[in-house]
Amino acid sequence: MRISEVITVPTLSQEVYKRLRKDIMNGIFPPGKRISIRKLAYQLNVSTMPVREALNKLQSEGFVHFERRSIFVRQLSSQELIELFEIRLTLEKMALEWSYKHIDCVALARLSEIVLEMERKLTSPAEWNELNRQFHTLIYTYAQSKPMLEMLSIVWGRVEPYMNIYSTKLDYLIISQKEHEQLLEVLIKKDIATLHHVLTLHIRQT
């Protein structure tokens, strides 16, 4: 586990929650990994209370599960993953409908910068995945819907550990990179029917 600094902020449980959630999404805590409350508290230099509070919240979101006296990162079945990707597709198509008309020249320029940077990071999966998240999140920010972003964040968080495992393969990243370039091209044209088609192929490929 990578702990870069001791937590000194007032909202300890929220900060612990953010860090643990990010570490789960990035695969530092992979699916099936056992989590020790005492060890985490020691590493973060906090008491066990904020760690327990953070884990309770993560449990409510489906990231971890409690089994007797042990806590594990939730390991999804193949059927659950398929269902989550279908939910993701439905939500993202809706978010795209709400956002594409509001995406202006400034947003398109930023999206283009992200895609170019992704091209440069094809041999660095961790950095590419972070840019991938930024790309999609920026698009859906223009839906101007906080509930939509919150739901997408939860779904993405559940599937991202598995996406990170798969996206270590360069062949996948190259294909996915081309799909992002297509999404950007169609966003410029503001063709919602084609956007839905390209997005569907992109998510189904994943």
Side-chain angles (χ1 to χ4, degrees):
M1 180 179 180
R2 296 176 296 186
I3 303 297
S4 58
E5 59 186 18
V6 172
I7 296 175
T8 57
V9 295
T11 53
L12 284 176
S13 62
Q14 182 64 16
E15 187 66 15
V16 172
Y17 160 78
K18 289 178 180 178
R19 295 223 189 156
L20 287 177
R21 189 177 189 274
K22 184 176 181 180
D23 284 349
I24 291 171
M25 290 171 64
N26 290 337
I28 295 172
F29 287 122
K33 174 74 173 180
R34 185 177 182 275
I35 296 176
S36 167
I37 292 177
R38 291 187 180 278
K39 185 177 179 179
L40 271 176
Y42 175 77
Q43 288 175 320
L44 296 171
N45 196 29
V46 298
S47 70
T48 58
M49 182 61 71
V51 175
R52 289 182 186 277
E53 291 174 354
L55 287 169
N56 283 331
K57 185 172 183 180
L58 288 166
Q59 182 191 35
S60 70
E61 294 179 354
F63 286 97
V64 302
H65 71 95
F66 291 68
E67 187 176 312
R68 295 183 181 177
R69 294 187 178 182
S70 300
I71 303 168
F72 297 90
V73 177
R74 180 84 184 277
Q75 191 162 12
L76 301 174
S77 68
S78 58
Q79 183 59 36
E80 287 175 315
L81 274 173
I82 290 169
E83 291 170 359
L84 281 167
F85 271 106
E86 287 297 328
I87 293 168
R88 176 190 163 187
L89 176 58
T90 300
L91 286 174
E92 289 199 34
K93 286 173 71 175
M94 183 183 295
L96 202 55
E97 286 184 13
W98 293 2
S99 63
Y100 82 103
K101 292 180 180 179
H102 305 294
I103 295 176
D104 54 18
C105 294
V106 174
L108 289 170
R110 177 58 187 143
L111 289 167
S112 181
E113 290 174 1
I114 294 174
V115 169
L116 287 173
E117 185 64 18
M118 291 169 75
E119 180 73 30
R120 290 190 283 267
K121 299 296 185 182
L122 282 172
T123 56
S124 179
E127 292 180 283
W128 189 94
N129 284 321
E130 177 60 32
L131 290 165
N132 176 50
R133 190 188 309 145
Q134 291 178 25
F135 178 83
H136 286 276
T137 301
L138 179 57
I139 291 173
Y140 304 136
T141 297
Y142 283 83
Q144 300 173 356
S145 170
K146 185 178 178 181
M148 175 66 76
L149 287 176
E150 288 174 347
M151 286 189 286
L152 281 170
S153 177
I154 291 172
V155 174
W156 263 68
R158 296 287 301 281
V159 301
E160 197 158 9
Y162 297 87
M163 290 167 59
N164 288 338
I165 292 170
Y166 185 51
S167 62
T168 56
K169 299 179 181 179
L170 183 58
D171 289 347
Y172 164 74
L173 293 181
I174 291 172
I175 292 171
S176 189
Q177 181 66 25
K178 290 179 180 178
E179 292 168 350
H180 285 89
E181 292 168 359
Q182 289 177 329
L183 275 171
L184 182 58
E185 289 173 5
V186 184
L187 270 172
I188 294 171
K189 298 176 183 177
K190 296 192 182 297
D191 179 351
I192 188 59
T194 307
L195 277 170
H196 276 170
H197 176 69
V198 174
L199 180 67
T200 300
L201 290 177
H202 176 58
I203 294 179
R204 290 266 162 82
Q205 167 69 14
T206 305

